[in-house]
Amino acid sequence: MQGFGLLSALVWLPIAAGVIVLLLGDRRIVTGRWVALIGSLITLVLCLPLMTGFQGGTAEFQFVEKLRWIPGFEAYYHLGVDGISAPLVLLTAFMTVPVIIAAWSVIETRPSQYYAAFLIMEGLMIGVFSAMDALLFYFFWEAMLIPMFLIIGIWGGPRRVYATIKFFLYTFLGSVFMLVALIYMYLKAGDYSIASFQALPLTLNEQRWIFIAFLLAFAVKVPMWPVHTWLPDAHVEAPTGGSVILAAIMLKMGGYGFLRFSLPIAPDASRDLDMLMIFLSLVAVIYIGFVALVQTDMKKLIAYSSIAHMGFVTLGAFIMFDIVQNTGSLKGAAMGVDGAMVQMVSHGLISGALFLCVGVLYDRLHSREIAAYGGVINTMPKFAAFAVLFALANTGLPGTSGFVGEFLVIIASFKANFWYSVLAAVTLILGAAYTLWLVKRVIFGPVANDGVARLQDLNIREFLILGVLALAVLLLGVWPAPLLEMMQASIHHLVDQAVASKVPL
Amino acid sequence: MNPNVLLAIPLLPLIAAIIAGVFGRQVGRAGAHTVTIAGVAISCALSLYVLKQIYFDGAPTFDAPVYTWLVSDGINIQVGFLVDRLTALMMVVVTFVSLCVHVYTIGYMHDDPGYQRFFSYISLFTFSMLMLVMSNNFMQLFFGWEAVGVVSYLLIGFWYTRPSAIFANMKAFIVNRVGDFGFIVGIAAIVYFTNSLDYKEAFAAAPQLVSQNIVLSHTTSVAALTVICVGLFIGAMGKSAQVPLHVWLPDSMEGPTPISALIHAATMVTAGIFMVARMSPLFEHSETALTFVLVIGATTAFFMGLLGVVNNDIKRVVAYSTLSQLGYMTVALGVSAYSAAIFHLMTHAFFKALLFLAAGSVIIGMHHEQDMRKMGGLAKYMPITAITCWIGALALVGTPFLSGFYSKDVIIEAVGESHRAAATYAYWCVLLGVFVTSLYTFRMLFMTFHGPERFRHAHGHGHAEEQGTAGDPGPGGALAHAPAFATAGAHGHGSAHTSAHAAEVSHAPAHAVHSSGGHGAGAHAHEEHDRSAPHESPAVVTVPLIALAIPSLLIGGLTVSSVVFGDFFGDAIFVLERNDVLGELAHEFHGAIGFALHGFLSLPFWLALAGAATAWLFFLKKPSLANTTARTFGWLRTILVNKYFFDWINENIVAGATRLLGRSLWRGGDAAIIDGAMVNGTAAAMGRLGSLLRHVQSGYLYSYAFWMIIGLAVLLGWFLWR
C-alpha cells in the first residue's frame, strides 16, 4: 500500500483551490481569481515531475497510490498512470490554465463559482484518467458531470436548460449501463480493480453485453454518431470555458474508456463488433463532415468538426483486428492506436484553441453567427493570425499536431482495408472545406459591418493563451516523438491484450 | 557533403521568414527585405556550391536523417535529406528564381502596407519548397507538399479584402486537397507493402511489388503499383494543375504578380513533375499509371493552351500558358522521358518566371491595368520590359537555339518515339499545342507591346463591368465577348475573362494601397482615369528581368547534351530499358547546335511560325478578321470563354450538391430523425408516462441530481449489506 503521492496532489490540489475560491466568494473575487490561477498553475507545474519521472519503456502503471477506500466492498483509492493516461492528465492540467485566464474579466455573474467549478472539474477529470479502481473511476466519472451541468446551466446561453437536460440525460443514461457492467464484473472478480477486470475470463456472450454497456457510455462521450446530437447543443449554450473543457478533455474520456475498458476487458467482443465501430467512425468522419459544412453558427461548426475528428480516434482504436486478419501480422495495429492517442491530445489543443478564438469574438460582439462577421482580419490582425493557424491545424496540416494522428490512422487503416483508408482520407477534403470556408467568411474579406469595424485586437491575456497553445500545436506537429515514446510500451501492451482471447477454454 | 551546409539551405529562409513575419514592425521594411534577401541569397549560393560538389567534384549522393519525427509501431519516420543531382538541380532553380523574385518584390510591393508580411511569406515558401525537394521520405515530402500549398493559399489571398482573392485561395486549397487525398492514399499503400516511409525502402521494394495486388472487393483487385502511382499522381494533378484539377491555377492570379512568377509558374506547380521524376523507380513498373499520366498531360497541354487564346487579362494568358506547359512536362513523364520533363521544368522556370515578371512590369507601367485591350504600343515606353518579354516569349514558343526550343523539341520527339498506349493521341496534342502556344504568345506580345496605343482612350475601370463593351474592345477583344454565364455561380466572384477584370478592379481601395512603386504620381492618375503615359519600371524590377532573360536564352543549349542525353542525373532517375525513348533519341543527337539547326526543318518550327503569322494577321494587321472569325465560330468561343464549363460545374453542381447533401444530413438526419423522432420523441413519450409520476419529474436539475444520488446510494447499499 503506497500512501498519497503526486497523483493525489494533482487530483485534490485543484479541488482544494476550488473550494477556497468558493469560500472567498464573489466579493473577494480579486483574490479568488489569483487563487484559481495559481492553483491551476501549480497543478500544471506538478505535472513536470510526472513527465520527467515517467518511464517510457514499461507498460506498468507508475506513480501508483493504493489505499483502502470502502472495505466491505473491496474498493480502493487506487491511482496510477501508464502511457495511455499520462498524456491525458497532462492535457487536462494544460488546458485548464487558459480557461481560467480566459475568464479573467469576462465572467461577471457569480465568478467565484465559475472558477471553483472549473478547478473542481480539473481535479475530477485527472481522477478519471488516473483511477485504477473501477468504482473510483465511476465516482470521478459521474462527479465530474455536476460542475459541467452547473457551468452550462448557470453561465450558458438562452437555451441552456434544454442543452443541459439533453446533456444530462444522454451521459447519465450511458453511464448507468456502464455501472451495471462494472458491478457484474465485480461480482465475478471479487474486487473493483481494473486490472482484475482485464484479467477476468469472460465468455463471448458476456463480453458482448459488457462491450455494449461500455459502448453506450463511451459512445455518448466521444460522441459517436448517432448519439452525438447533444454535443452541438451543449457547445452552443456553454460559456467559452465550458466549451473548451468539453471539447478538449471530456470528449477524450470516451476514447480513453475504449482503450482502458472495452478493448482489454472485452477483446473477443471487440473483434466481433469491430465492423460496427469502424462503420460508426467512418460515418462520423464523412456524414458529420458534410453536416459541419452547412453550419451557420461558429460553435456548432467546430462542434461538428470535433465529432468528425473524434471519428479518427475510434477508427484508429478498432482497426487492429482487421489488420491482423488482412495482413496476418500485428504490424500496424499499434500504429492505429498511436494515431488515436495523438489525435486525442492534438484535438484537445486545437479544438480548445478554436473555442477560445470563438470566445474572443463572442466577448466582443456577442454573436456566434458566422454571418455577423466578415473581414475580422482588418481590425484584429493578431487574432486573425492565430485563428488561421488553428484553422489550418484543424484541417490536419503537416507541421501542426492535427496532422500526426490523422496521418497515422489513415496509414494504419490501409493495412486493414483499402476502403477504410480511402474513406478516412476524405477528411482531407471535407475538413479543408468546412474550416477554410469558415475562415473565409469570418476572418477574410472587407469589413462587413460596424461591429467588426469597432473590434479591438487581442489583449495581452488573450495573446498569451493563444500564443502558448499555438506553440504547443506546432511543437507537437514538428516533433511528436516524445509523446509517442511515452505511450509506446503501454500501447503495445494494450494491443497484446486486445488480440488475445479471454474466452475460457 | 557537409550536413550543416545542407541544413542551412532551407533553414536560412525559414529564419528570415520568422524575423520578417513575427518581428516585421521592429525590423521595418528595409530590415524585412534585407534579411529575407540575404537568407535566400546565401541559400542560392550554397545550392550552387552543392551542385558544383555533386556534379563537378563527383561527391556521392547524400542520404541521411536529420532527426526522428516519431517512431510508431517500429516504423521510424525521420526528417532527412536526399541530395543527389536531381535534388541539387531543383535547389538551384528554386533558390535562383526565388532570389530574383525577392529583389523584384522590392519594386512591385513598394507601397503595399503588407510589405513585411509578403517577404515573410515568400521566404517561408522557399523554405517549404526546399524541404519538399530535399526530402528523403514520404512524410517530409507530404509536409513540403502541403506547406507550399498553405503559403500559396496565404499569398493568393494576400489582398484579403478582395472577394475574388479570398475565393480563389480557398478554391486553390480545396482543389489541392482533392489531389492530396489521392497522394496520402498512395503513401499509405507504400507503407502497407514496405512498412517504411523512406524512399530508399520503397525504391528497393519496387521490383517485388510488380507481382503484388491490392484487394478492392471479393472479386476485384488492382496491381499494387497502379494504386500507389495513380494515387501519387492524383496528388501531382492537384499541385501541378492537370485537368481536371487545374481549375485553381487561373484564379490564383488574384495574388500579387511576384508570387505568380515564383509559385504559380516556376516552382510550386512543378512540384508534381519533380515528384513523379523522383518516383521514377516506382512509376517505371506501372504501365497503367504511366499511360494515365500521358493522357492527362496531353489533354492539359493542348486544351488548356487554347484557353490562352481567348483571354484578355495578361496574367491569365500567361497562367493558361503555364497550364499547357505543365501538360508538356507531364507528357514527358508519361513516356518515361523523366529527364526531359525536368529539363523542361528548368527552362520553363526561367522563361515563365521572366514572362510573369515582365507582365508584372507591364502592370506596374500601366498603373495596375491588366487588360490587354487597354494596352498596345508599349514597346516604345518600356523597352527593357519589351525586349526581355520577347526573349521569354521566343523561348516559350520554341525558337531554335533558345532554351525552350531544346526542352520542348525533346519532349515532342520523345513522344513520337514512344510506343505507349495513347502515345499517338499525345503526339497530336503536343504537336498542335505548338501552334496554339505560338498563337497566344504572339497575340499577347502584339496586343501589349505593339499596334495602336489604346491606353490613352481607355475608359475608367468601372466600365469594365460592361463586359468589354466600354471603349475600344481592341483587336481580338471580340473573341472574349461570349456570354460569361459560367460565372454566375453562387459566389458572385467574376472569374470569366471579361468580368474577372471587372471584379479585380472594382475594389479600388485595395488597389490604391498597393499601387506601383517608385512613381507616386501614377497612383492618382489611376483613380482619376487620366492616365499619364506608361513608363519603364525601376531597376529592382528590370534587373531580375535581365537576370532571368540570360538563362532563358542560354541554359537550354548549354545543358541539353548532359541533362537530357548525357548522364547528368546518374542514378537519380530510373528508366527501364524497354521504356528508354531518350536513349533511342540520343543516337541521333549530335550536339546542341546541330539539334537547333535541324529544328528549323522540323514540323514544330513551322507550326510555331504559322501560329506567329496567324497572330500577326489577326491581332496586328487585320483585327476585324479576328472578330469575324469569333462570330463564325460562336459555339467554340462560348466553350472556350467558359473554360469548358469546369468552373460552372464545380460551383453549381459539385459545390451545390455538397451543400445540399450537408443540409439534408443535418436537417433530415440530425434534426428530424435523430433528435426529432428518437431523442425528443422518446422524451415526449417519457413525458406522457411522467405525467403519472408528476411529483417526481419536477423539471429541476438539482432534483434529477438528487434522485441520481439517492439511486446510487440505494444500489451501493444493497451490495454493501446484502
Side-chain angles (χ1 to χ4, degrees):
Chain A
M1 296 268 168
Q2 296 97 325
F4 285 102
L6 187 60
L7 287 172
S8 280
L10 287 172
V11 172
W12 298 107
L13 190 132
I15 294 179
V19 172
I20 294 171
V21 175
L22 203 59
L23 292 175
L24 284 170
D26 291 345
R27 270 181 295 172
R28 274 168 289 178
I29 190 59
V30 180
T31 322
R33 273 204 294 253
W34 282 102
V35 171
L37 178 62
I38 291 166
S40 65
L41 280 174
I42 293 176
T43 313
L44 182 59
V45 169
L46 283 179
C47 285
L48 280 179
L50 188 77
M51 236 157 62
T52 53
F54 189 85
Q55 304 291 319
T58 168
E60 293 295 314
F61 277 82
Q62 302 172 36
F63 301 96
V64 175
E65 302 168 22
K66 191 170 184 183
L67 292 170
R68 198 166 285 281
W69 180 32
I70 310 174
F73 217 18
E74 288 303 308
Y76 290 86
Y77 176 80
H78 192 179
L79 301 177
V81 288
D82 67 350
I84 293 172
S85 47
L88 296 171
V89 170
L90 290 178
L91 181 68
T92 310
F94 185 75
M95 289 307 294
T96 303
V97 180
V99 168
I100 302 285
I101 298 176
W104 209 253
S105 58
V106 177
I107 298 297
E108 281 159 2
T109 43
R110 308 197 201 176
S112 64
Q113 293 172 27
Y114 185 86
Y115 291 112
F118 279 102
L119 286 167
I120 292 170
M121 197 155 55
E122 178 184 11
L124 296 172
M125 290 186 300
I126 292 176
V128 168
F129 292 128
S130 51
M132 291 177 68
D133 183 281
L135 199 65
L136 186 66
F137 171 84
Y138 189 78
F139 166 77
F140 285 130
W141 176 273
E142 291 290 20
M144 166 200 84
L145 294 176
I146 297 166
M148 199 48 154
F149 300 146
L150 297 176
I151 286 164
I152 301 177
I154 296 176
W155 294 275
R159 293 182 72 222
R160 57 182 181 263
V161 176
Y162 173 76
T164 314
I165 291 181
K166 200 170 174 183
F167 172 49
F168 175 85
L169 288 179
Y170 258 109
T171 47
F172 181 65
L173 263 167
S175 309
V176 164
F177 292 101
M178 175 171 74
L179 182 64
V180 174
L182 293 178
I183 290 169
Y184 180 83
M185 283 186 288
Y186 161 69
L187 293 177
K188 291 199 78 163
D191 65 28
Y192 272 103
S193 151
I194 296 174
S196 46
F197 287 1
Q198 291 179 352
L200 190 67
L202 292 165
T203 65
L204 181 60
N205 214 30
E206 285 177 310
Q207 286 191 34
R208 279 205 194 107
W209 285 106
I210 290 169
F211 185 88
I212 287 170
F214 282 138
L215 176 62
L216 288 170
F218 302 143
V220 166
K221 270 285 194 306
V222 165
M224 296 176 81
W225 184 88
V227 289
H228 64 281
T229 57
W230 64 271
L231 185 75
D233 286 321
H235 267 309
V236 166
E237 300 307 324
T240 301
S243 285
V244 172
I245 292 301
L246 192 58
I249 318 292
M250 284 186 65
L251 304 191
K252 307 302 166 300
M253 294 184 173
Y256 174 74
F258 284 121
L259 298 179
R260 178 67 78 224
F261 290 88
S262 304
L263 282 168
I265 291 176
D268 301 279
S270 300
R271 186 193 295 119
D272 198 46
L273 296 170
D274 71 331
M275 277 307 294
L276 173 73
M277 299 302 292
I278 291 168
F279 172 75
L280 295 180
S281 306
L282 290 173
V283 169
V285 172
I286 294 169
Y287 171 118
I288 298 296
F290 277 105
V291 174
L293 200 58
V294 294
Q295 298 306 311
T296 56
D297 178 308
M298 290 192 278
K299 271 189 149 181
K300 258 196 174 158
L301 195 152
I302 301 168
Y304 276 111
S305 150
S306 290
I307 303 169
H309 280 97
M310 291 303 287
F312 273 88
V313 175
T314 45
L315 181 67
F318 282 91
I319 48 177
M320 61 175 79
F321 305 103
D322 278 6
I323 291 177
V324 174
Q325 199 185 355
N326 190 33
T327 64
S329 144
L330 263 181
K331 195 96 176 169
M335 189 189 262
V337 185
D338 278 349
M341 277 299 298
V342 177
Q343 178 78 347
M344 286 208 270
V345 175
S346 158
H347 178 259
L349 300 171
I350 296 169
S351 67
L354 284 172
F355 278 117
L356 284 167
C357 284
V358 175
V360 165
L361 290 180
Y362 186 80
D363 291 342
R364 287 162 172 73
L365 287 193
H366 299 284
S367 173
R368 297 178 314 262
E369 283 297 312
I370 293 170
Y373 295 89
V376 168
I377 187 172
N378 295 289
T379 41
M380 301 178 74
K382 285 181 203 154
F383 169 78
F386 283 119
V388 170
L389 173 69
F390 294 125
L392 289 170
N394 198 45
T395 67
L397 181 76
T400 67
S401 63
F403 169 66
V404 188
E406 288 181 12
F407 184 65
L408 292 177
V409 172
I410 289 173
I411 285 179
S413 60
F414 195 104
K415 285 171 173 279
N417 187 316
F418 171 76
W419 293 108
Y420 297 168
S421 149
V422 168
L423 291 171
V426 171
T427 194
L428 257 68
I429 304 166
L430 288 174
Y434 61 69
T435 312
L436 294 185
W437 197 23
L438 173 74
V439 169
K440 173 181 178 282
R441 289 177 291 174
V442 173
I443 306 288
F444 294 141
V447 173
N449 53 47
D450 292 347
V452 174
R454 282 195 305 271
L455 284 175
Q456 295 285 314
D457 208 346
L458 298 178
N459 61 36
I460 187 85
R461 268 183 295 109
E462 293 163 332
F463 187 86
L464 198 70
I465 52 181
L466 293 180
V468 169
L469 282 169
L471 285 178
V473 164
L474 289 172
L475 181 67
L476 193 54
V478 174
W479 195 41
L483 176 63
L484 272 289
E485 209 175 284
M486 191 178 201
M487 307 181 318
Q488 198 179 27
S490 298
I491 285 176
H492 277 281
H493 177 62
L494 168 67
V495 170
D496 289 340
Q497 284 180 310
V499 296
S501 176
K502 272 178 71 178
V503 178
L505 296 170
Chain B
M1 261 174 283
N2 186 343
N4 291 326
V5 170
L6 295 180
L7 204 54
I9 291 171
L11 286 187
L12 286 170
L14 175 66
I15 293 164
I18 292 171
I19 293 172
V22 181
F23 305 103
R25 202 179 305 160
Q26 286 81 351
V27 296
R29 293 176 156 243
H33 73 231
T34 309
V35 72
T36 51
I37 289 174
V40 73
I42 299 171
S43 272
C44 184
L46 293 176
S47 299
L48 281 165
Y49 171 68
V50 167
L51 182 69
K52 172 192 164 288
Q53 275 194 316
I54 206 158
Y55 186 59
F56 293 104
D57 305 348
T61 296
F62 179 93
D63 185 358
V66 176
Y67 73 93
T68 298
W69 188 62
L70 62 77
V71 183
S72 175
D73 212 357
I75 296 178
N76 200 342
I77 310 179
Q78 290 170 320
V79 172
F81 295 143
L82 166 64
V83 181
D84 56 10
R85 290 173 171 194
L86 175 59
T87 313
L89 180 70
M90 286 299 291
M91 284 158 63
V92 171
V93 171
V94 169
T95 51
F96 178 74
V97 176
S98 178
L99 179 61
C100 289
V101 168
H102 270 75
V103 174
Y104 179 92
T105 298
I106 299 176
Y108 195 86
M109 301 299 283
H110 188 269
D111 296 332
D112 198 288
Y115 193 77
Q116 289 97 317
R117 185 163 59 95
F118 191 87
F119 274 100
S120 171
Y121 286 170
I122 53 176
S123 262
L124 187 63
F125 171 78
T126 311
F127 158 75
S128 311
M129 191 70 201
L130 287 167
M131 289 299 279
L132 191 162
V133 298
M134 292 171 76
S135 169
N136 73 347
N137 66 83
F138 289 96
M139 188 285 295
Q140 188 182 336
L141 174 70
F142 194 72
F143 164 80
W145 196 261
E146 292 260 297
V148 290
V150 163
V151 186
S152 163
Y153 167 79
L154 294 171
L155 280 165
I156 297 170
F158 186 79
W159 290 316
Y160 48 72
T161 48
R162 295 193 201 179
S164 53
I166 62 171
F167 176 76
N169 75 340
M170 182 178 74
K171 177 174 171 181
F173 198 89
I174 294 172
V175 171
N176 267 290
R177 270 301 175 96
V178 175
D180 294 352
F181 158 77
F183 200 68
I184 206 163
V185 173
I187 292 175
I190 290 167
V191 180
Y192 177 72
F193 288 107
T194 64
N195 276 320
S196 170
L197 281 150
D198 291 340
Y199 293 166
K200 214 169 24 194
E201 303 286 330
F203 295 166
Q208 284 91 56
L209 288 183
V210 175
S211 54
Q212 300 274 1
N213 285 306
I214 288 171
V215 178
L216 298 188
S217 72
H218 293 301
T219 49
T220 43
S221 59
V222 183
L225 277 167
T226 302
V227 173
I228 292 172
C229 295
V230 170
L232 293 176
F233 182 67
I234 290 173
M237 284 164 67
K239 198 76 26 190
S240 293
Q242 299 295 298
V243 173
L245 299 182
H246 66 281
V247 290
W248 64 273
L249 186 63
D251 286 7
S252 76
M253 296 299 121
E254 291 296 335
T257 304
I259 64 118
S260 304
L262 175 62
I263 300 183
H264 304 123
T267 56
M268 182 187 84
V269 290
T270 58
I273 310 300
F274 162 77
M275 187 271 292
V276 176
R278 169 59 83 211
M279 299 304 149
S280 57
L282 300 176
F283 277 81
E284 269 303 280
H285 294 288
S286 177
E287 197 70 17
T288 319
L290 284 174
T291 309
F292 180 61
V293 172
L294 183 59
V295 171
I296 296 283
T299 308
T300 308
F302 178 69
F303 290 94
M304 290 300 122
L306 276 181
L307 298 183
V309 181
V310 297
N311 219 304
N312 291 320
D313 180 317
I314 186 168
K315 274 182 76 179
R316 282 178 195 248
V317 171
V318 187
Y320 281 112
S321 162
T322 304
L323 282 174
S324 166
Q325 296 305 306
L326 288 167
Y328 274 87
M329 297 175 211
T330 307
V331 165
L333 299 171
V335 295
S336 299
Y338 306 100
S339 38
I342 296 294
F343 184 53
H344 194 49
L345 184 164
M346 172 182 74
T347 61
H348 176 260
F350 295 121
F351 65 70
K352 190 50 68 64
L354 169 59
L355 281 173
F356 262 120
L357 295 187
S361 176
V362 168
I363 295 167
I364 298 174
M366 290 293 298
H367 315 299
H368 287 262
E369 176 58 74
Q370 296 183 200
D371 192 336
M372 295 191 297
R373 288 167 298 180
K374 295 174 185 161
M375 298 177 183
L378 292 181
K380 195 168 79 186
Y381 302 92
M382 314 180 72
I384 303 174
T385 304
I387 292 167
T388 50
C389 190
W390 262 89
I391 292 171
L394 289 174
L396 169 65
V397 301
T399 312
F401 292 107
L402 270 59
S403 44
F405 159 77
Y406 291 99
S407 53
K408 187 180 283 187
D409 233 40
V410 164
I411 291 175
I412 293 168
E413 294 205 16
V415 179
E417 197 73 27
S418 173
H419 302 295
R420 187 150 285 142
T424 317
Y425 166 71
Y427 186 68
W428 282 103
C429 282
V430 291
L431 207 55
L432 293 176
V434 172
F435 173 79
V436 174
T437 306
S438 177
L439 181 59
Y440 67 67
T441 307
F442 282 98
R443 172 175 174 264
M444 181 194 83
L445 288 176
F446 294 149
M447 284 180 76
T448 307
F449 294 109
H450 307 282
E453 300 175 358
R454 292 180 298 276
F455 46 84
R456 292 187 200 286
H457 313 291
H459 288 239
H461 283 134
H463 295 243
E465 264 168 301
E466 296 162 31
Q467 304 242 332
T469 47
D472 174 14
L479 270 177
H481 283 181
F485 69 90
T487 58
H491 304 284
H493 69 290
S495 60
H497 322 302
T498 45
S499 56
H501 189 71
E504 204 160 297
V505 295
S506 61
H507 307 292
H511 256 276
V513 291
H514 62 77
S515 193
S516 50
H519 37 72
H524 297 287
H526 157 74
E527 286 183 328
E528 293 159 19
H529 303 160
D530 172 23
R531 294 164 170 277
S532 58
H535 50 82
E536 187 57 276
S537 300
V540 283
V541 170
T542 51
V543 169
L545 292 181
I546 297 164
L548 286 165
I550 295 165
S552 298
L553 279 170
L554 303 175
I555 197 98
L558 293 178
T559 58
V560 64
S561 39
S562 83
V563 172
V564 180
F565 297 114
D567 189 33
F568 178 85
F569 289 116
D571 50 11
I573 283 172
F574 171 80
V575 184
L576 286 176
E577 187 74 39
R578 62 180 147 92
N579 290 342
D580 194 6
V581 287
L582 291 178
E584 292 295 315
L585 288 180
H587 300 310
E588 297 154 31
F589 179 79
H590 306 291
I593 293 172
F595 191 71
L597 290 175
H598 177 260
F600 283 112
L601 304 174
S602 68
L603 192 52
F605 175 75
W606 293 100
L607 282 170
L609 212 56
T614 313
W616 174 78
L617 184 66
F618 275 40
F619 304 107
L620 210 53
K621 179 76 179 159
K622 233 174 137 52
S624 58
L625 207 58
N627 297 345
T628 322
T629 318
R631 240 166 269 130
T632 318
F633 295 99
W635 57 274
L636 182 63
R637 195 189 61 192
T638 307
I639 291 174
L640 292 181
V641 169
N642 289 298
K643 300 166 282 181
Y644 308 113
F645 299 96
F646 274 109
D647 281 343
W648 186 85
I649 291 168
N650 283 337
E651 281 159 28
N652 294 286
I653 298 179
V654 179
T658 306
R659 280 193 295 265
L660 185 70
L661 181 61
R663 219 165 277 130
S664 31
L665 289 177
W666 181 34
R667 297 289 185 203
D670 269 31
I673 298 174
I674 296 175
D675 265 3
M678 284 156 66
V679 178
N680 297 343
T682 314
M686 287 294 178
R688 282 190 289 279
L689 181 72
S691 60
L692 298 172
L693 305 160
R694 182 167 292 277
H695 54 289
V696 180
Q697 202 168 24
S698 61
Y700 290 107
L701 190 65
Y702 64 77
S703 161
Y704 291 114
F706 175 72
W707 284 109
M708 179 177 129
I709 290 163
I710 297 278
L712 260 180
V714 170
L715 207 63
L716 292 181
W718 182 73
F719 275 115
L720 216 50
W721 286 290
R722 85 197 143 102

